[in-house]
């Protein structure tokens, strides 16, 4: 029988407390994803990170992943070099805090939107450069980067585009939130009737 575990995302000021996480544990949820963004979670505040780590240890809930921010001025494929560089620098600076909380995966968005058709190719190249640097930094602390499948005009809005970016980056530290989804889901006895549109689900080695 496959070892499927239930997880949930946690977001919001002061949400990561021992009392709140005990409620999560009492509901049978073992894994959480923490949203790294102000004011949801001040990941550059050492005391806040230590308090969150203590709350996780007390509750028995495990942080499997963190989700980095996504805003118009927080975009690793932005055509504005200042926005792109500051975003990448901040993402890299967040990795030690994510590692400290026990996270194995850092989830990122490929872009904000809209992404205009005439700039898409250029932004894919910028995204590739940023992800190459980010995955190298993640590898140094033993973590993986997951590029999220997004809707509408965002970069990474189809599995084929995500696979194209992953191929350009060429790193075993870069995956996708839908990596191996079809094969793993079918191994669990399910059936998938779509090609490119899926929900935010990560199934790896029989684990959700």
């Amino acid at each position: 029988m496959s070892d499927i575990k239930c997880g949930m995302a946690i977001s919001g000021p002061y949400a990561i407390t021992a009392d709140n996480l005990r409620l999560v544990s009492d509901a049978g949820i073992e894994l959480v994803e923490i949203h790294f963004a102000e004011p949801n979670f001040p990941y550059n505040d050492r005391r806040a990170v230590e308090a969150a780590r203590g709350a996780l240890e007390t509750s028995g809930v495990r942080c499997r992943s963190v989700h980095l921010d996504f805003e118009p001025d927080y975009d690793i494929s932005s055509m504005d070099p200042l926005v792109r560089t500051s975003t990448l620098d901040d993402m890299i600076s967040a990795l030690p805090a994510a590692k400290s909380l026990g996270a194995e995966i850092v989830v990122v968005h490929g872009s904000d939107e809209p992404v205009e058709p005439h700039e898409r190719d250029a932004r894919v190249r910028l995204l590739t450069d940023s992800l190459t640097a980010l995955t190298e930094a993640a590898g140094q602390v033993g973590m993986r980067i997951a590029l999220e499948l997004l809707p509408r005009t965002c970069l990474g809005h189809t599995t084929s585009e995500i696979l194209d970016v992953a191929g350009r980056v060429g790193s075993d530290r870069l995956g996708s939130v839908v990596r191996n989804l079809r094969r793993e889901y079918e191994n669990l006895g399910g059936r998938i009737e779509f090609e490119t549109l899926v929900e935010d689900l990560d199934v790896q080695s029989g684990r959700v």
Side-chain angles (χ1 to χ4, degrees), residues 66-87:
V66 301
H67 196 306
L68 298 187
D69 203 6
F70 45 93
E71 300 289 344
D73 59 351
Y74 196 91
D75 187 338
I76 54 173
S77 67
S78 173
M79 299 291 281
D80 183 333
L82 293 178
V83 170
R84 189 172 66 256
T85 300
S86 65
T87 301

Side-chain angles (χ1 to χ4, degrees), residues 162-182:
I162 284 181
L163 291 172
D164 175 55
V165 171
R168 293 173 187 233
V169 173
S171 171
D172 60 2
R173 292 287 175 186
L174 175 65
S176 165
V177 177
V178 293
R179 185 180 183 184
N180 297 329
L181 176 60
R182 181 181 298 277

Side-chain angles (χ1 to χ4, degrees), residues 74-165:
Y74 196 91
D75 187 338
I76 54 173
S77 67
S78 173
M79 299 291 281
D80 183 333
L82 293 178
V83 170
R84 189 172 66 256
T85 300
S86 65
T87 301
L88 178 60
D89 288 346
D90 188 75
M91 287 184 170
I92 291 174
S93 76
L95 295 176
K99 181 70 173 181
S100 175
L101 296 179
E104 303 167 357
I105 299 169
V106 175
V107 181
V108 301
H109 285 196
S111 73
D112 191 59
E113 61 178 348
V115 175
E116 301 297 340
H118 68 273
E119 66 182 22
R120 194 168 199 92
D121 287 346
R123 292 195 61 175
V124 166
R125 289 193 293 272
L126 294 172
L127 174 61
T128 300
D129 291 343
S130 294
L131 285 174
T132 298
L134 186 58
T135 54
E136 288 176 357
Q140 292 174 7
V141 293
M143 303 188 73
R144 291 183 291 128
I145 302 299
L147 181 62
E148 184 168 358
L149 185 72
L150 297 171
R152 297 178 297 273
T153 67
C154 292
L155 296 187
H157 67 164
T158 65
T159 54
S160 60
E161 188 166 65
I162 284 181
L163 291 172
D164 175 55
V165 171

